[in-house]
Every structure is written in C-alpha cells, then in structure tokens.
C-alpha cells in the first residue's frame, strides 16, 4: 500500500455518547509550536539542549526525525524529555532522501526557510492534507531572499530546496497573519547576509522570537517590524515546554458547556499571543480563572480553572482571530451551545488549515441540527439544541476533538469519522477525555 492509501483508509472513529460532565485536575500534552521550535533551535545551537514537556505527537516527531536525518543526535523522547546535541548553525548534514513532514504544516514551512540556507539540497514531502496546503506564502518571499525552493504547479508540496544559494536579508510586509511565514523567514534570516525584517498585519504567536532570544540570538524590533541579522550563534540551554493551550481548549469548552463541570488544567502556556480562546470564551460568559502564574523559560504559564457557565453569543473581535486561530473548531461548538448568535469574520485562514475548517465544521454542525451558516471568511452560528449523527473530521485532528466535546450537550450519539490524526497534536486524548468524564468510545485504527 502506498503512503497516500494508508492515509486515506486509516480508520479510528469516535462515538461521543450524550451527556456527562467534566471533572479533574490534569495536564494536557506539551505545546506543539514550542516543541517544534525546541528541536529546530536546539539542533542548530552550540552545546546541548535539554527539553522537558516535549509533545510526543506525530507532528513534532516529524520535525525531530528530520533533524535526526540531518545528522543531529537526539536522545528520547522519554516521558517528554529530549537531549539534543546541537551541531551549530552550519553543522547539519545532507539527508539521505526526502524528509516526510506527515500532516505538519509547521514542520514544512519552518524547515523550508531553514533549509534554504543550507549548503545541501533537500526535499520535503507530506501527507495528502499537507500536500494540498499553500506553500507559496513561504516560497515566494524566500525567493526574494535568493532561495531556490520549487513547489508543484499548484504551489504545493513536495518542496525541492536547492542548497548553496547565498541568501540576502529582505524587508517583507506579510500579506497574511501567519506565524509560520514569519518564522520561516526569520530562520532563513539566520543564514542571510544583512538583516531580514518581517511585519505582520496582526499579531501572531511569537514563540520563535522568544526562543531565539532565549538561546542568545539577538532579535531586532522596530515599529511593528521584527528582524534578525545573519551570522550570530545560538547557545543551547534548557527548555520546559508548557502544556498546549490549543489542546487545553477542548477541555475549556467542554467544561464550560457541560453543567456541573469543574476542571483545572495545569501548567498551560498562556503567552498573550495564544490566549485568544480565553478572551473569547470570557466574552461569551465563561467562568475561567488563571492561577499560579509564572514564567518558565521565557514563556508565561498558569493553571486554568474552569467551571460550567451559561454562554452567550457574541461578535468575535477581529483582533482576536489570529490569537485563537487553532481554537475556532471548538469555539464553534461553544457557539452552538450559547444563547443567541455568534458571528466570526476575518478568519479566511481557517480555509487552509489541516482541512477547510469553515466548510467542515459547518457541514458537521448542520448534520447535528445546528443553525450554522458558513461565510467566505467565517461563520454565523445560532445556539440551540445539538442532535446526533455522523460527522466527518476530514482527517483533521481539531475537528475530531471538537465534535467529541459536542457529545456533552448532544441528545443522541455523535459518530466521528477519520480520527487517526488526533495523534498529531494530542496523543492520549480519548483516554484523558474519558477519565475526565466524556462518554467517548474509540474504535478501529491505532488508539
Ligand atoms: C503555528 C502557526 C499557525 C497555527 C499552527 C501552528 C506555528 O499557523 O495554525 O497550528 O507553530 O507557527 P499559521 O502560521 O499558518 O497561521
């Protein structure tokens, strides 16, 4: 069976049985964005980097395998711990063949920038979903820097990156709010002559900038622009990866919509460029409290306590969209359980995620009898009863977990198809969800 067929026929299904409440105090797996970056910068650093809390999910493991393929010695993961023996900015070796990024857009787009600065050629491939996602958003500006990265005619993977191309710094005004594009260019900028500057139309997650600085690499900032100059070095160190707020989001919404629930999520990353989900839920009337705030390795963390609450529909403020970009599938479930109408606009980026999250969520919600109307750049959802039925996640991890939470308020079972990719970001989701009170069955596939 070739790779495409394997991905298309994988068969994990969830059945979310109606009712239940969520209880408990627990820690969800490590932050995906920070896990990727810990391997990338740890590998390029001088000296050893010890990582704890690493996400042992398929996406972050794809990044880890790529660096192993380029000659980096990495011990682990062992209960979330890695030991990376950095090879320095110029110490990577040519991989023996194409490197498979699986489902991971972050791996592919960030590596495209980083590989553009290497002396050797490389090729990045992905699964069918990743092979449909737009790559010109990184390859076009990289070409302006002098890189040679070839896509298909449609501007998609596989990416063929020619090594040995001298890069020069650019000033790039990004057309979309994307941390992946910003990070890809900053990573290429480490290898460029002169300074590489980017400006984003709205604030996006800043983990790359924070980690670069944590590793002693100067990051330049000026009136909304962020930049790096080529030619400095990274110094390895320790990284404590906080729990992923994007994974916590399923429980934040689940506990909010299921009356009687109370959950404490421990050691969650609450970097202000990621907390849109907290702000949006709070505007909807959620009962959320942050405790034990501290800063760990340059990233703010806190325990998050959530009680069930009556939610109300809102107009989601535009500036919050990039700060909650991965949480909209589950926020749509919150909206379906709220009193009144919720309107999301300015979120066209949702159409080019692991699936078209506007179309796929609207289709699933409508199947369950919810009044959900997709628009070009968002959705209008009127809260009301949720029925049962069969929904397709289209191999999108966050869609699968969002509909699992909808079971808490459904009047009949929800069958969710194509759930295998839940392991990309949240290994152990079904077990943890069941332990906390979700009436979830998982059948078929790898559980
Ligand atoms: C990510 C950036 C976001 C996000 C993705 C992770 C990152 O993508 O959706 O899950 O780690 O930089 P975009 O940059 O495409 O918005």
């Amino acid at each position: 069976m070739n790779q495409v067929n394997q991905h298309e026929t994988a068969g994990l299904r969830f059945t979310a049985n109606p009712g239940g409440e969520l209880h408990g105090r627990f820690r969800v797996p490590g932050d995906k964005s920070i896990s990727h970056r810990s391997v990338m910068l740890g590998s390029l650093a001088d000296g050893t980097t010890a990582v704890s809390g690493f996400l042992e999910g398929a996406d972050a493991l794809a990044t880890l395998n790529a660096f192993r393929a380029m000659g980096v010695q990495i011990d682990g993961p062992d209960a979330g711990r890695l030991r990376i023996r950095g090879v320095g900015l110029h110490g990577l070796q040519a991989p023996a063949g194409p490197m498979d990024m699986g489902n991971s857009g972050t791996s592919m787009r960030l590596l495209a920038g980083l590989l553009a600065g290497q002396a050797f050629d490389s090729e990045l491939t992905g699964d069918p979903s990743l092979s449909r996602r737009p790559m010109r958003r990184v390859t076009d500006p990289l070409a302006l820097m002098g890189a040679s990265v070839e896509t298909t005619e449609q501007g998609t993977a596989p990416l063929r990156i020619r090594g040995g191309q001298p890069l020069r710094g650019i000033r790039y005004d990004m057309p979309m709010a994307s941390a992946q594009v910003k990070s890809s260019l900053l990573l290429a900028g480490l290898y460029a002559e002169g300074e590489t500057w980017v400006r984003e139309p709205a604030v996006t997650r800043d983990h790359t900038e924070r980690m670069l600085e944590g590793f002693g690499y100067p990051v330049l900032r000026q009136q909304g622009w962020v930049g790096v100059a080529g030619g400095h070095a990274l110094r390895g160190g320790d990284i404590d990866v906080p729990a992923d707020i994007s994974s916590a989001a399923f429980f934040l919404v689940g506990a909010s919509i299921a009356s009687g629930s109370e959950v404490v999520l421990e050691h969650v990353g609450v970097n202000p460029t990621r907390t849109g989900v907290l702000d949006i839920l709070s505007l909807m009337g959620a009962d959320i409290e942050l405790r034990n705030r501290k800063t760990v390795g340059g990233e703010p963390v806190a325990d998050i306590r959530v009680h069930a609450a009556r939610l109300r529909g809102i107009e989601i403020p535009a500036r919050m969209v990039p700060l909650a970009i991965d949480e909209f599938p589950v926020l749509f479930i919150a909206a379906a359980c709220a009193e009144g109408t919720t309107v999301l606009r300015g979120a066209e980026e949702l159409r080019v995620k692991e699936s078209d999250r506007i179309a796929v969520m609207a289709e699933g919600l409508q199947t369950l009898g919810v009044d959900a109307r997709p628009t070009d750049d968002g959705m209008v959802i009127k809260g009301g009863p949720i029925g049962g039925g069969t929904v397709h996640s289209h191999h999108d991890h966050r869609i699968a977990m969002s509909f699992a939470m909808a079971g808490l308020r459904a009047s009949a079972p929800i069958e969710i198809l194509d759930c295998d990719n839940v392991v990309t970001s949240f290994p152990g989701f079904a077990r943890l969800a069941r332990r906390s009170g979700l009436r979830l069955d998982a059948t078929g596939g790898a559980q």
Side-chain angles (χ1 to χ4, degrees):
M1 189 190 276
N2 68 26
Q3 195 191 357
V4 171
N5 285 340
Q6 259 172 24
H7 285 294
E8 293 298 352
T9 58
L12 178 62
R13 293 164 171 231
F14 289 159
T15 305
N17 294 299
E21 7 184 292
L22 298 186
H23 289 278
R25 190 185 170 91
F26 48 90
R27 179 166 169 165
V28 298
D31 188 277
K32 184 151 74 72
S33 295
I34 299 176
S35 294
H36 282 298
R37 288 158 172 83
S38 72
V39 173
M40 294 179 189
L41 298 191
S43 295
L44 297 177
D46 296 318
T48 298
T49 291
V51 183
S52 57
F54 180 76
L55 169 65
E56 297 184 34
D59 277 14
L61 292 173
T63 293
L64 189 149
N65 288 333
F67 281 89
R68 278 197 177 131
M70 292 188 284
V72 182
Q73 269 190 44
I74 304 176
D75 302 334
D78 174 16
R81 270 188 294 279
L82 295 179
R83 233 182 139 66
I84 306 169
R85 283 165 231 277
V87 296
L89 268 181
H90 299 281
L92 295 177
Q93 292 161 20
M99 295 184 281
D100 182 5
M101 302 295 105
N103 193 241
S104 177
T106 308
S107 309
M108 185 169 283
R109 295 202 180 108
L110 270 59
L111 273 175
L114 197 157
L115 290 170
Q118 306 303 316
F120 51 82
D121 295 350
S122 52
E123 181 173 344
L124 300 176
T125 61
D127 75 0
S129 151
L130 181 54
S131 303
R132 282 190 291 267
R133 297 180 66 186
M135 291 298 146
R136 289 213 175 105
R137 53 179 57 203
V138 291
T139 60
D140 282 352
L142 286 172
L144 297 175
M145 296 178 75
S148 166
V149 185
E150 205 183 288
T151 64
T152 65
E153 238 168 69
Q154 292 74 42
T156 53
L159 301 184
R160 293 201 180 84
I161 302 151
R162 180 125 34 96
Q165 308 292 306
L167 303 184
R168 54 186 176 272
I170 54 168
R171 274 179 90 79
Y172 187 67
D173 222 340
M174 292 166 38
M176 74 288 287
S178 164
Q180 292 181 355
V181 176
K182 170 177 64 175
S183 302
S184 182
L185 300 183
L186 292 176
L187 291 174
L190 304 181
Y191 294 93
E193 192 169 319
E195 294 175 354
T196 301
W197 289 90
V198 295
R199 182 166 66 177
E200 35 192 14
V203 175
T204 68
R205 66 193 67 195
D206 63 359
H207 305 299
T208 303
E209 298 93 299
R210 283 178 190 247
M211 204 181 286
L212 281 170
E213 285 180 316
F215 277 37
Y217 204 101
V219 173
L220 316 168
R221 289 188 182 82
Q222 208 175 58
Q223 292 169 341
W225 291 81
V226 58
V228 292
H232 296 277
L234 295 160
R235 237 186 357 259
D238 292 351
I239 297 177
D240 171 357
V241 182
D244 198 330
I245 191 166
S246 299
S247 297
F250 302 105
F251 293 92
L252 295 174
V253 169
S256 294
I257 62 176
S259 121
S261 298
E262 180 185 0
V263 162
V264 178
L265 297 151
E266 294 173 338
H267 204 70
V268 181
V270 289
N271 176 321
T273 61
R274 294 287 299 282
T275 46
V277 63
L278 301 178
D279 297 330
I280 293 169
L281 283 173
S282 298
L283 285 178
M284 295 177 80
D287 182 355
I288 291 174
E289 188 197 338
L290 267 55
R291 298 172 170 170
N292 275 330
R293 284 172 180 270
K294 54 188 167 197
T295 302
V296 179
E299 291 280 349
V301 300
D303 296 337
I304 307 180
R305 187 210 40 76
V306 51
H307 274 175
R310 278 172 82 105
L311 301 183
R312 53 181 177 269
I314 59 162
E315 297 230 355
I316 298 173
R319 72 186 162 77
M320 291 183 184
V321 170
L323 311 180
I325 195 68
D326 289 340
E327 288 69 70
F328 284 107
V330 79
L331 284 169
F332 293 154
I333 301 297
C337 297
E339 232 169 76
T341 301
T342 297
V343 181
L344 172 68
R345 292 191 195 89
E348 58 280 342
E349 278 294 304
L350 293 180
R351 294 210 177 264
V352 290
K353 293 293 177 190
E354 287 83 329
S355 69
D356 176 343
R357 288 182 171 162
I358 293 175
V360 171
M361 283 303 298
E363 177 191 278
L365 286 167
Q366 287 163 4
T367 300
L368 303 179
V370 175
D371 182 349
R373 272 172 296 133
T375 60
D376 285 350
D377 65 346
M379 187 112 77
V380 181
I381 298 174
K382 217 163 129 190
I386 299 180
T390 300
V391 299
H392 295 255
S393 81
H394 291 265
H395 304 279
D396 184 332
H397 53 137
R398 301 201 196 281
I399 304 275
M401 292 184 274
S402 299
F403 281 116
M405 289 298 164
L408 290 160
R409 286 281 287 269
S411 57
I414 303 174
E415 297 280 349
I416 310 158
L417 307 182
D418 316 323
C419 298
D420 297 80
N421 276 340
V422 166
V423 296
T424 61
S425 67
F426 202 148
F429 168 76
R431 210 170 338 129
L432 186 57
R434 263 196 303 267
R435 190 148 39 95
S436 69
L438 205 70
R439 298 176 179 167
L440 189 71
D441 295 329
T443 50
Q447 290 168 50

